[in-house]
Amino acid sequence: MSDSDDIFMELALEAAAAAGAAGEVPVGACVVDPEGKVLAVAGNSPIANNDPTAHAEILAIRAAGAHLGNYRLPGCTVFTTIEPCVMCAGALVNARIKRLVYGAADERFGAARSVYRLCDDSSLNHRIDVVPGVLEEECSELMSEFFRTIRTGRSGGV
């Protein structure tokens, strides 16, 4: 973990906050190339897009792939505020992401460490270096506050 990890996670947090303000579950993701250049930043938008695959990680790797003109993102790092789900972890493996940095664990759906370990499963043809817990408190609080607001009926979100 490095200071730059915090900087890139802050970008993901900003995207997550924007998604939450739009009524989406507040998850954000950022893709960074091997030289430290930001290729894409995205927040969750399955509701707005009527697309169950429009998770922040998927949208960010799609945009990064389009930017690079390649469906593979070798050497790239993905920063995401919440541990990826099975769908997103599978997409990260298929994109050949080198490194995954996430904020808060997802004890119900996490597919990098909490429930499954898809990102470094030896039966798959690619493994990702996983760094959990970067700005964990901030990432977790954003998610908790969003769902607290939903439960008290003050938001039209999920």
Side-chain angles (χ1 to χ4, degrees):
M1 188 164 47
S2 68
D3 290 339
S4 62
D5 285 354
D6 287 357
I7 292 166
F8 296 127
M9 187 61 77
E10 288 286 349
L11 292 174
L13 274 163
E14 289 172 15
E24 303 278 358
V25 175
V27 179
C30 174
V31 180
V32 178
D33 76 8
E35 287 76 44
K37 178 183 173 196
V38 175
L39 299 176
V41 179
N44 262 5
S45 65
I47 297 167
N49 289 337
N50 296 310
D51 179 356
T53 70
H55 290 194
E57 300 92 332
I58 300 291
L59 296 174
I61 62 173
R62 283 179 184 162
H67 178 80
L68 294 176
N70 193 345
Y71 72 109
R72 303 275 195 218
L73 301 172
C76 290
T77 299
V78 170
F79 293 83
T80 185
T81 55
I82 302 298
E83 180 181 2
C85 69
V86 170
M87 175 183 68
C88 293
L92 297 174
V93 170
N94 284 327
R96 304 300 192 265
I97 295 298
K98 178 180 172 125
R99 191 167 167 255
L100 166 66
V101 179
Y102 68 86
D106 185 341
E107 300 298 330
R108 292 180 60 209
F109 301 109
R113 289 283 184 274
S114 297
V115 180
Y116 303 103
R117 294 184 67 106
L118 291 180
C119 293
D120 58 3
D121 188 312
S122 63
S123 65
L124 299 175
N125 64 344
H126 177 73
R127 279 164 279 308
I128 299 170
D129 297 328
V130 178
V131 179
V134 173
L135 299 183
E136 180 176 11
E137 188 174 316
E138 294 90 331
C139 294
S140 181
E141 181 54 34
L142 183 63
M143 189 70 79
S144 295
E145 179 57 31
F146 177 80
F147 285 108
R148 254 192 311 276
T149 301
I150 297 287
R151 283 192 301 273
T152 60
R154 292 182 295 206
S155 172
V158 182

